[in-house]
Amino acid sequence: MTTRIALDPFVTGLEGESAALRAAGPLAAVELPGGVPVWAVTRHAEARALLTDPRLVKDINVWGAWQRGEIPPDWPLIGLANPGRSILTVDGADHRRMRTLVAQALTPRRVEQMRERITKLTEGLLDGLPEAGEVIDLKADFAYPLPMYVIADLMGIDESRLPRLKELFEKFFSTQTPPAEVIATLTELSGIMAQTVAAKRAEPGDDLTSALILASEDGDHLTDEEIVSTLQLMVAAGHETTISLIVNAVVNLPTHPGQRALVLSGEADWASVIEETLRYSTPTSHVLIRFATQDVPVGDKVLPAGDALIVSYGAIGRDEQAHGPTAGDFDITRTSENRHISFGHGPHVCPGAALSRLEAAVALPALYTRFPSLDPAIPASELRNKPVVTQNDLFELPVRLG
């Protein structure tokens, strides 16, 4: 009988859990909350190979457990495992078609045009913080609202919907959402996105949702179902990843004062802080989910046909085989050629990676210019992760504004 590592639904010891996954080898047998058995790739090289392996697909109908009715429709993580037809869940020619249409809408020029808006939002949030010396929850007052306002602006979502979207996405990602609320949460989220698409179809604007509606390739357009699912995916991933990236950078710098001194003195740049944070404390702990159409050898094990694979970025980021004996150190001077794959790799690499990096590149230097001696108000060991097995996400980040 296969011995599985049960992922802690309350995420009380993420670093230890990631170390245990690496120790289990490049392919670890794990159990997701709810007693769902899957496999996890835990090493950098093997992850890169599997993320480009055509024998692994996103079609949930390949999953033997799903076919046999072993995955209940109210499983708390079902919205991540089966989020509807989007660029996340299709492969091959369908994926290339959808990816091309999304790329036509989310161009590098459109992302760069967001810089001025991000800067204005950042300055406004900083202006709203109290004087130096006060203690605040930096996540609630700065790291959370910035990405939410940015993604709402980019996608053309009415800002009046943001408080409700916050509540819904809390339930969407949490392992503790009661079964009775899972389907209702997914239905309401989809409804809000569908209403946004309908409004933009009736009256297009200068936003990504309108661009997705208008994008075409040889006369081919995204369907409303595809736009709704893609919109929900981009809003979910677009704000959660950036929140955690900003929060984790702020946690890492004070706990590594030599590194903070390097960046504040200009001897190291903020891009290095961002990339090392993405590697060392990746915002996304585990990404759900791929399915094997054939037996796939991984190291000395085999991922069986019909089984499911998650990508454990929390373990992968500190893989000594990729990053050497200092993989467990936060080092913004690190020069490894392939520092991390925290935004994915291969055909399904995150389309919003450039936007997330841009937000952090604006927010972090502005924050530290305003409050250069900012420090956590409690020891890092007392910070608590939210019950979200897919995200490295804190409940709060109390800081003293130095």
Side-chain angles (χ1 to χ4, degrees):
M1 182 176 178
T2 302
T3 302
R4 295 187 177 273
I5 298 172
L7 299 188
D8 177 8
F10 295 100
V11 197
T12 55
L14 185 58
E15 287 192 20
E17 187 172 86
S18 295
L21 288 170
R22 283 192 301 276
L27 185 68
V30 305
E31 181 180 283
L32 292 173
V36 175
V38 298
W39 298 85
V41 57
T42 67
R43 302 279 178 83
H44 184 99
E46 286 81 2
R48 285 175 61 94
L50 290 172
L51 288 169
T52 56
D53 192 322
R55 294 172 293 181
L56 288 164
V57 300
K58 291 299 196 82
D59 183 359
I60 196 171
N61 295 301
V62 172
W63 194 7
W66 177 260
Q67 293 173 347
R68 296 187 295 269
E70 297 168 6
I71 311 300
D74 56 2
W75 180 43
L77 299 177
I78 193 64
L80 294 166
N82 189 30
R85 182 178 172 81
S86 73
I87 57 172
L88 181 67
T89 57
V90 297
D91 298 285
D94 268 352
H95 179 261
R96 287 190 293 274
R97 164 188 157 268
M98 293 179 68
R99 185 93 186 189
T100 298
L101 293 170
V102 170
Q104 289 178 7
L106 187 61
T107 62
R109 181 171 176 269
R110 182 180 291 274
V111 171
E112 183 56 33
Q113 285 176 337
M114 292 296 295
R115 182 183 294 274
E116 183 178 350
R117 175 64 171 151
I118 295 167
T119 300
K120 184 177 180 181
L121 286 168
T122 297
E123 294 299 327
L125 289 168
L126 290 174
D127 288 343
L129 297 182
E131 295 297 318
E134 295 290 324
V135 173
I136 66 163
D137 177 1
L138 190 72
K139 180 181 177 183
D141 294 342
F142 182 72
Y144 174 82
L146 175 62
M148 277 304 284
Y149 280 123
V150 169
I151 201 70
D153 198 57
L154 177 67
M155 306 306 296
I157 295 173
D158 191 323
E159 288 186 1
S160 66
R161 293 190 180 275
L162 294 185
R164 183 55 180 161
L165 283 175
K166 181 179 187 295
E167 296 172 355
L168 291 171
F169 279 119
E170 293 271 350
K171 295 179 180 180
F172 177 83
F173 284 106
S174 177
T175 59
Q176 302 306 303
T177 301
E181 297 181 20
V182 170
I183 294 175
T185 297
L186 296 175
T187 300
E188 187 174 351
L189 271 173
S190 180
I192 290 173
M193 302 306 163
Q195 291 165 17
T196 299
V197 171
K200 294 301 176 181
R201 190 175 289 283
E203 190 174 343
D206 183 20
D207 55 75
L208 187 56
T209 301
S210 299
L212 289 172
I213 292 169
L214 297 172
S216 64
E217 182 185 26
D218 298 328
D220 190 11
H221 289 74
L222 293 168
T223 67
D224 275 7
E225 177 193 0
E226 292 168 343
I227 297 171
V228 166
S229 295
T230 298
L231 176 58
Q232 181 169 313
L233 161 69
M234 297 186 75
V235 173
H239 81 279
E240 278 289 337
T241 299
T242 309
I243 293 166
S244 295
L245 172 55
I246 294 170
V247 166
N248 293 342
V250 173
V251 171
N252 288 333
L253 288 173
T255 52
H256 300 83
Q259 302 288 303
R260 180 167 70 175
L262 286 175
V263 70
L264 294 185
S265 69
E267 294 178 65
D269 58 27
W270 283 103
S272 298
V273 174
I274 292 166
E275 298 310 314
E276 183 66 350
T277 299
L278 287 166
R279 181 200 71 84
Y280 177 80
S281 46
T282 178
T284 306
S285 310
H286 309 280
V287 166
L288 278 57
I289 198 165
R290 286 170 166 77
F291 311 102
T293 59
Q294 305 173 32
D295 287 355
V296 181
V298 184
D300 61 355
K301 297 177 183 175
V302 172
L303 172 62
D307 276 14
L309 178 80
I310 66 173
V311 184
S312 294
Y313 288 106
I316 291 165
R318 301 195 193 182
D319 178 9
E320 291 190 0
Q321 294 183 12
H323 306 294
T326 64
D329 297 339
F330 180 74
D331 180 7
I332 62 176
T333 67
R334 190 178 300 276
T335 57
S336 54
E337 183 178 349
N338 295 308
R339 177 176 275 182
H340 66 81
I341 53 170
S342 295
F343 283 119
H345 177 69
H348 286 280
V349 67
C350 176
L355 179 61
S356 185
R357 283 184 167 105
L358 175 60
E359 289 178 64
V362 171
L364 288 170
L367 175 66
Y368 278 89
T369 296
R370 191 78 63 100
F371 303 107
S373 55
L374 175 152
D375 275 310
I378 62 174
S381 60
E382 295 180 17
L383 296 171
R384 298 179 302 132
N385 275 77
K386 295 173 71 174
V388 181
V389 295
T390 57
Q391 304 296 126
N392 185 4
D393 188 13
L394 297 177
F395 274 107
E396 59 184 359
L397 179 57
V399 301
R400 187 175 301 280
L401 298 174

